[in-house]
Amino acid sequence: MMNIEGLYLYGIIPTYYSCEQFRELDKLNVLNIPFGKVSVIAAEEIITDYRDLDTEQLARLLVSHQQTIESIMHLGFNTIIPVRLGTFAFNASQVKKIVKTGYDLILETFEKISGFMEFDLVVTWADFNKVLGEIAVDSQVMEMKAKIEQNQNITQADQMAIGHLVKKILDQRKDDLAGKIFNALEPYCQSVKQHEVQNDQMVSNTAFMVNRQQQALLEKAIDELDLELNGKHNFKLVGPLACYSFYTMEVEQLKYDDLLAAKEELEPGDSISEKSIRQAYLKKVKLFHPDQNPDDVCSVIFNQIQQAYQTLLSYVQSQNLESDDEIIVMSPEVFTEDTFILKIKD
């Protein structure tokens, strides 16, 4: 297979930084591709489909991706929207076209993240075996064990029941602690996002979006919480980072066949506009909403309607129209494969 060189996209920054600061980017072997008030930071690389890579390869690339973004921040580019791992463009012209479709969204996001950064906090049990030992003598567990031991034959189902109860109590303890952590730190944060915990030993895995002026207060609150919990937990705080968990930009290439299928699903009529798409969506969604039709078939159709709505709406909004009732002609003659939309990852 022929290797094709393209541009790997790291992040998007505003252009209000000084020329001297932009020259510092040369030290990182990255390119600066400006468009209006926006500049995309990229690097020349062989275009690779990251979906074909295994978990270990992705993990290494993710570390490299984030290290480059953090190096950009260390040069003073504090306002940066990270781009999703594995995003490529063929050339600078395509990068500018991508930015143009989401230009207003980018400027809005700059306003939201200006002055803010992300901190990731992972909390684990300091002595997990001790915690399990405490649960083993919990009154609920002891009561269940006593009932089971009255029978001469302890079955596998009995052992599973005890295991489920232990897990339930452990999860409740984790939920209580996670709530306590949230209540202690939330006052110093603009936004909070809970990530999935990786194992039973992990109590919580949380991303906090913090104003730079609140960083010291956040760190102090964590120290006080650690003292209050008598050192029974390990607190690992990572940051400051770009706001990965809250505002990562994704680039999606639209295909005409997908648009056509979405149009057939939603049936907005021959003329499409943002207004007609919304009207068609509201009309169909009432017919198949799970609250009105709880059966599985309607649930599948409902999801298809939502997907079609998002696809058509993204395409219409990417055209930078003057009003929501402006008509778009959707045909193979006017559609190009080089049609992109930018969106923020949920």
Side-chain angles (χ1 to χ4, degrees), residues 21-189:
Q21 213 168 329
F22 274 102
R23 282 194 289 269
E24 290 288 299
L25 289 170
D26 293 339
K27 298 176 181 178
L28 304 179
N29 295 318
V30 294
L31 303 173
N32 164 42
I33 304 169
F35 181 88
K37 298 178 181 180
V38 168
S39 192
V40 177
I41 306 302
E44 294 179 343
E45 289 187 18
I46 301 299
I47 294 178
T48 305
D49 190 341
Y50 278 36
R51 293 171 299 180
D52 296 335
L53 304 179
D54 60 34
T55 304
E56 187 176 336
Q57 290 173 310
L58 283 173
R60 287 199 303 268
L61 290 168
L62 178 61
V63 170
S64 175
H65 179 86
Q66 293 183 341
Q67 284 177 341
T68 299
I69 291 175
E70 287 157 31
S71 296
I72 294 168
M73 294 178 68
H74 290 157
L75 293 176
F77 297 98
N78 295 316
T79 301
I80 180 169
I81 307 171
V83 176
R84 183 181 179 182
L85 176 72
T87 302
F88 285 89
F90 285 112
N91 49 47
S93 295
Q94 192 177 66
V95 171
K96 292 179 180 181
K97 183 166 186 177
I98 291 169
V99 170
K100 183 179 179 181
T101 63
Y103 189 69
D104 290 341
L105 176 61
I106 294 170
L107 296 182
E108 289 171 11
T109 305
F110 281 156
E111 292 181 7
K112 292 176 181 178
I113 67 173
S114 180
F116 290 91
M117 50 197 176
E118 177 175 327
F119 285 89
D120 292 346
L121 178 66
V122 174
V123 182
T124 57
W125 304 103
D127 189 343
F128 187 53
N129 288 331
K130 184 177 180 181
V131 174
L132 292 179
E134 292 171 354
I135 294 175
V137 294
D138 182 273
S139 59
Q140 297 178 70
V141 177
M142 295 296 288
E143 183 180 346
M144 179 177 281
K145 284 181 177 179
K147 288 182 179 178
I148 290 173
E149 287 171 356
Q150 290 176 359
N151 302 321
Q152 292 184 347
N153 297 320
I154 298 177
T155 66
Q156 185 177 5
D158 292 333
Q159 294 173 336
M160 289 179 63
I162 292 175
H164 287 312
L165 179 58
V166 169
K167 182 70 164 57
K168 179 181 177 182
I169 295 171
L170 178 64
D171 287 344
Q172 185 60 57
R173 286 196 178 192
K174 289 167 67 173
D175 289 344
D176 291 344
L177 282 165
K180 190 178 188 69
I181 293 166
F182 174 85
N183 291 334
L185 304 183
E186 191 268 341
Y188 309 105
C189 306

Side-chain angles (χ1 to χ4, degrees), residues 206-330:
T206 314
F208 298 93
M209 187 172 166
V210 182
N211 189 299
R212 289 186 182 88
Q213 297 178 351
Q214 298 282 79
Q215 178 179 349
L217 293 175
L218 178 76
E219 293 172 345
K220 181 182 178 183
I222 292 172
D223 290 339
E224 290 174 349
L225 190 60
D226 189 16
L227 287 173
E228 183 184 342
L229 296 172
N230 299 315
K232 293 181 179 180
H233 306 83
N234 296 322
F235 289 80
K236 183 180 180 182
L237 185 67
V238 179
L241 305 169
C243 297
Y244 298 107
S245 300
F246 306 92
Y247 294 101
T248 293
M249 196 68 76
E250 293 186 345
V251 180
E252 181 180 333
Q253 184 173 10
L254 294 176
K255 304 290 185 182
Y256 182 73
D257 288 346
D258 293 337
L259 285 174
L260 192 60
K263 186 171 182 287
E264 291 175 354
E265 177 69 46
L266 203 61
E267 299 178 304
D270 294 333
S271 301
I272 355 180
S273 65
E274 185 171 337
K275 185 176 181 179
S276 69
I277 290 168
R278 292 185 190 279
Q279 289 174 338
Y281 170 73
L282 291 174
K283 181 180 179 181
K284 293 203 75 170
V285 85
K286 287 179 181 178
L287 299 174
F288 298 98
H289 197 284
D291 290 345
Q292 303 296 326
N293 301 282
D295 62 89
D296 293 339
V297 174
C298 286
S299 178
V300 170
I301 296 174
F302 178 75
N303 290 334
Q304 290 172 346
I305 292 169
Q306 287 191 307
Q307 177 100 26
Y309 171 67
Q310 290 298 332
T311 299
L312 285 177
L313 190 64
S314 295
Y315 175 62
V316 170
Q317 291 178 342
S318 73
Q319 303 304 300
N320 300 313
L321 304 176
E322 293 183 0
S323 66
D324 66 354
D325 57 359
E326 184 175 345
I327 301 299
I328 291 182
V329 177
M330 199 182 87

